[in-house]
Amino acid sequence: MFFVDTLKFEGLGNRSYLAGGPRTAVVVDPPRDIDQVIAAAARRGVRIAYVAETHVHNDYLTGGPELARVTGARYLVPAAADVSCARVPVADGDMVEVEEYLVLRAIATPGHTPHHTSYALEEDGRAVAVFTGGSLLIGSVGRPDLVEPRLTEQLARAQYASAHRLADELDDEVPVLPTHGFGSFCSSSQAEGDTTTIGDERTSNDALTLDVDTFVARTLAGLEDVPAYYAHMGPANAAGPAPVDLTPPQPADAARIAERLAAGEWVVDLRSRVAFAEGHVAGSFNFEGDGKPATYLAWLIPWGKPVTLLAETPAQIADAQRELVRVGIDRPAAAATGDPAGWVRAGEELASFPRAAFAGLAAARERGEQVVVLDVRRDSERVKGHVEGSVHIPIHELHGRLDEVPDGTVWVHCAGGMRAAIAASLLDAVGRRVVAVDDGFEAAVDAGLTVTRP
């Protein structure tokens, strides 16, 4: 008998897998914080014999080299991948024995990267699962534009061919187990649903239902902006990321927080956007711990700038640390927890700003107030409809374009409220009057605002 355990990482929208038999197992695309993988293997009572990478990742740091070192496992990496860490090169068709009756077969599936490799888990010669990494995803494929702009169309065509190869070689009932597609920006589009099979994808995935030219054109037209921190992930993964240190950061009192801000460092408040708006340290930024703090913080922050974390509890700090090490933000400079009133020096007050729904924005306009409406959604969201007269600066560009926001009270919105809260904190930190619209965008029309649609 075989097993496959899924390790989900909601913040980055990725998955890793532990698969094997009664005694030994393989880990596919492990996270950098390997302790939970080791714990999963311990619960199963299996030895990790292999660690397999489908590709050199662009959206997170791998724990592959460290996991292989700690467990004594063989580290399998596609042979064509340009890496400097110790590894066992894997070529198309190579097979490794996990158990006497259970093998892992490498299938070259270029497209997401030129060297991308999927792995079929075969029991007694019959495929029982396929780990597709950034190749065939649920209803989509991994994006082909993260390696080199001049290769994008070529890789998109390779994605098409790779998807067809998997569909041709594997039976309909074989589960498809991708790494990306659950919120990761490595995916061409996001998964609708939690599980899939080769047969399901054969009838629903554009890579398997469209002709190649239509698929390529549609894929290239739908590509989103690439998070800035991706530029640092590939090189770090090729070199082999260092082990992580998840011990608690040094505590920060009000004086130290003020010193960090005065030095131009980032002080990040992980509390809910509601709590942050009601009272926060002036100059701090709000990245909700329950949202996607790793993705958006790593995207916006100048790379390498020190970070001090603020939260209600030590557990929230620990959760954020775990998220952040996965994208290379290794050690917070300091951290503080508890009542935010203790985060400011004697005689100082917490800053605040109002929150509102789209109905509040409509009412402000009806009263004749001169307001600036700032839309921080992505371009792909904006083109589907926007509030008439609004200014558009995507959230990931706002920190470098604050001087482009017109004078006046800024009512900032996104699609649901989280990104608007980040943007509001950026504006509030430089002294702008701001109102965070904490509302779903579909409520704009119901509120009586004119929404311009294509």
Side-chain angles (χ1 to χ4, degrees):
M1 292 293 292
F2 73 94
F3 72 88
V4 177
D5 290 341
T6 302
L7 297 150
K8 299 180 180 180
F9 306 101
E10 306 294 349
L12 293 179
N14 287 323
R15 293 181 176 181
S16 300
Y17 300 94
L18 174 74
R23 296 177 300 278
T24 55
V26 57
V27 178
V28 180
D29 289 345
R32 191 179 180 201
D33 48 323
I34 62 173
D35 56 326
Q36 58 193 310
V37 180
I38 293 172
R43 287 192 295 271
R44 280 284 184 180
V46 295
R47 176 178 64 89
I48 297 174
Y50 299 97
V51 177
E53 303 281 14
T54 57
H55 60 293
V56 176
H57 301 281
N58 286 290
D59 64 327
Y60 72 93
L61 294 183
T62 180
E66 180 65 4
L67 182 60
R69 184 189 69 81
V70 168
T71 62
R74 299 177 70 193
Y75 186 42
L76 310 178
V77 179
D82 184 13
V83 299
S84 57
C85 54
R87 50 84 180 257
V88 176
V90 176
D92 184 43
D94 283 355
M95 304 178 77
V96 296
E97 184 178 277
V98 182
E99 295 270 8
E100 184 178 354
Y101 58 89
L102 195 66
V103 301
L104 197 68
R105 176 168 64 92
I107 305 172
T109 48
H112 186 47
T113 66
H115 60 265
H116 190 284
T117 299
S118 299
Y119 299 93
L121 186 68
E122 299 181 346
E123 183 182 45
D124 294 328
R126 176 174 170 271
V128 292
V130 60
F131 304 102
T132 56
S135 182
L136 188 65
L137 312 183
I138 300 180
S140 184
V141 294
R143 55 192 297 174
D145 62 327
L146 301 180
V147 176
E148 160 60 54
R150 292 170 295 182
L151 296 178
T152 298
E153 181 174 348
Q154 175 185 329
L155 289 176
R157 292 183 180 276
Q159 277 289 47
Y160 184 90
S162 293
H164 279 263
R165 180 182 181 186
L166 292 171
D168 291 344
E169 291 190 10
L170 301 172
D171 294 335
D172 280 354
E173 64 269 20
V174 175
V176 174
L177 304 174
T179 300
H180 303 314
F182 309 95
S184 168
F185 285 99
C186 265
S187 175
S188 294
S189 62
Q190 299 310 314
E192 294 185 6
D194 201 51
T195 61
T196 192
T197 63
I198 290 291
D200 292 338
E201 294 309 302
R202 197 188 304 278
T203 61
S204 62
N205 195 305
D206 282 356
L208 297 172
T209 60
L210 301 175
D211 65 87
V212 62
D213 290 332
T214 303
F215 165 78
V216 169
R218 186 172 295 183
T219 299
L220 299 186
L223 294 173
E224 301 275 9
D225 290 331
V226 178
Y229 70 92
Y230 277 26
H232 305 279
M233 299 297 98
N237 283 326
V244 300
D245 179 1
L246 293 175
T247 57
Q250 293 183 359
D253 58 15
R256 187 169 187 187
I257 292 170
E259 290 170 0
R260 293 291 178 184
L261 287 168
E265 299 178 8
W266 278 37
V267 173
V268 172
D269 192 325
L270 300 165
R271 294 176 302 146
S272 75
R273 55 185 181 262
V274 175
F276 183 88
E278 290 176 350
H280 57 270
V281 177
S284 63
F285 302 136
N286 182 214
F287 291 82
E288 290 183 300
D290 290 338
K292 286 191 170 186
T295 295
Y296 284 104
L297 177 55
W299 197 342
L300 272 64
I301 191 171
W303 195 251
K305 186 173 283 291
V307 176
T308 292
L309 299 177
L310 310 178
E312 293 169 332
T313 67
Q316 292 169 336
I317 297 291
D319 288 345
Q321 278 186 263
R322 188 173 288 275
E323 288 274 327
L324 294 175
V325 297
R326 294 173 184 159
V327 292
I329 301 176
D330 280 13
R331 288 294 296 165
T337 58
D339 186 341
W343 300 342
V344 294
R345 294 171 296 191
E348 296 178 337
E349 296 183 356
L350 294 171
S352 64
F353 54 77
R355 297 165 47 251
F358 276 107
L361 172 58
R365 280 185 161 182
E366 289 176 2
R367 291 192 297 268
E369 297 180 17
Q370 296 299 309
V371 301
V372 177
V373 181
L374 177 62
D375 180 350
V376 296
R377 297 174 301 158
R378 296 189 300 275
D379 292 343
S380 60
E381 298 171 284
R382 172 85 174 180
V383 298
K384 296 176 183 176
H386 62 273
V387 175
E388 187 175 62
S390 60
V391 176
H392 180 227
I393 303 177
I395 182 64
H396 58 275
E397 299 178 10
L398 181 60
H399 188 249
R401 299 175 59 188
L402 289 169
D403 59 350
E404 297 179 30
V405 180
D407 293 337
T409 300
V410 184
W411 290 63
V412 58
H413 79 85
C414 58
M418 182 188 75
R419 288 172 292 174
I422 297 172
S425 72
L426 296 176
L427 290 160
D428 176 76
V430 294
R432 294 297 303 270
R433 295 190 308 276
V434 64
V435 179
V437 178
D438 196 353
D439 204 356
F441 184 71
E442 65 279 358
V445 173
D446 296 337
L449 294 167
T450 300
V451 174
T452 301
R453 301 189 186 278

